[in-house]
Amino acid sequence: MVEIVPVITKKQQKEFLNFPLRLYRDCPYFAPPLYMDEKKIFRADYVYHDTCETGYWLALREGKTVGRISAILQKASNAKTGEKRVRFTRFDAIDDKEVARALFDAVEAFARERGMDTVCGPLGFSDLEREGLLIEGFDELSTFEEQYNYDYYGALIESCGYGKEVDWLERKVYGADPEQEEEMKKVSDFVMKRYHLRFGEAKNTREFIHRYAEGFFHLLDVGYDGLYGTVPFTDGMKKMMIDNFMLIIDMKDVAIILNEKDEVVCLGICFPSLAKALQKSGGRLTPAALVRVLRAVRHPKILDLGLIAVDPAYLNCGVNAIMTVELMRMLREGGIEYAETNLCLEDNYAIQNMWKRFHCVQHKRRRAYVKRLEEKQ
């Protein structure tokens, strides 16, 4: 018998956060999120609560937690697309179809009660959160930005009537041959000259934010507008992103390109991989974990590609060549073993074609599922 319990009390909230840490305690591929960031989802002033309604549930069997799930009614997303959707996220469970069915029943009831007709996910509040279910690459270390899950999750979700909506591909990028880099450098220089472009400069992260934050967020809004699951940036989202950037960005791993009007038309940002630094502490910033994080930031061996965005007006102008060359430089200069691309939609051919210039391996695939809800009789 599976009992579904809404998460209301502080004790239940703590259990909701701790369940996946126990479930993946002995898994060498799981990278936890920052525990203090996850705790914020239960705060009344959480940045997404002005555009979202949420529900959280635990699945219990004989008093023991065997699963969890969250539902998000992302009103800004629905307003943008004209759809009536609820997202599911933070789904974790033992390998048991009864548990999965009970959890998804709770999400679907939440959706119906609010007049929604579709459930999709895993998707968070926005694309700044972890999204997509891992369906290939279970023996690969997860990045800090994305979620790891066991290989049985897909079958559990599909047993509840969900099917594929989109897939993302992920790659390890190892750099390029010198000849290829030189060829791309010539193309990059030509594009820069042809369209009167230049690199934005900043002495440090604080100056970078001060100079370019407005153009940076505008570019993300217009550049990501048509991509699956994205939502417009609110002031709260911007502040949260800036606060996170201040901690881990190194300016040598940032490229921002301006046109002759000083408008941001292209950007690329990489982060040092924090996955291994946070594994031992379960995502908690203990003194030992903080030392590991600082070491990873100062001397990274792996880069995570955080953001690449191009102004749609420049998409067919060869601007991708500039970002390609900059990534080649980052890999070559920093003693980096490889970069993780994180999620790239499989039908985003502009970004997929970019990786053909590198030595790379596609090692992961993630999936978003969807289910159209039938009316209850």
Side-chain angles (χ1 to χ4, degrees), residues 94 176 266 285 367:
I94 63 171
C266 186
L285 280 180
R367 178 163 296 169

Side-chain angles (χ1 to χ4, degrees), residues 230-282:
T230 59
V231 297
F233 279 88
T234 64
D235 289 341
M237 290 168 63
K238 293 175 183 178
K239 183 181 184 305
M240 179 179 66
M241 196 171 182
I242 288 172
D243 290 344
N244 292 339
F245 276 6
M246 295 293 288
L247 298 175
I248 60 175
I249 281 185
D250 190 319
M251 292 310 301
K252 73 177 186 301
D253 297 325
V254 174
I256 190 161
I257 300 166
L258 313 176
N259 63 16
E260 55 191 345
K261 298 178 182 179
D262 285 341
E263 297 168 333
V264 179
V265 300
C266 186
L267 65 90
I269 298 177
C270 293
F271 307 119
S273 173
L274 302 181
K276 292 183 178 179
L278 292 169
Q279 276 185 321
K280 292 182 179 179
S281 67

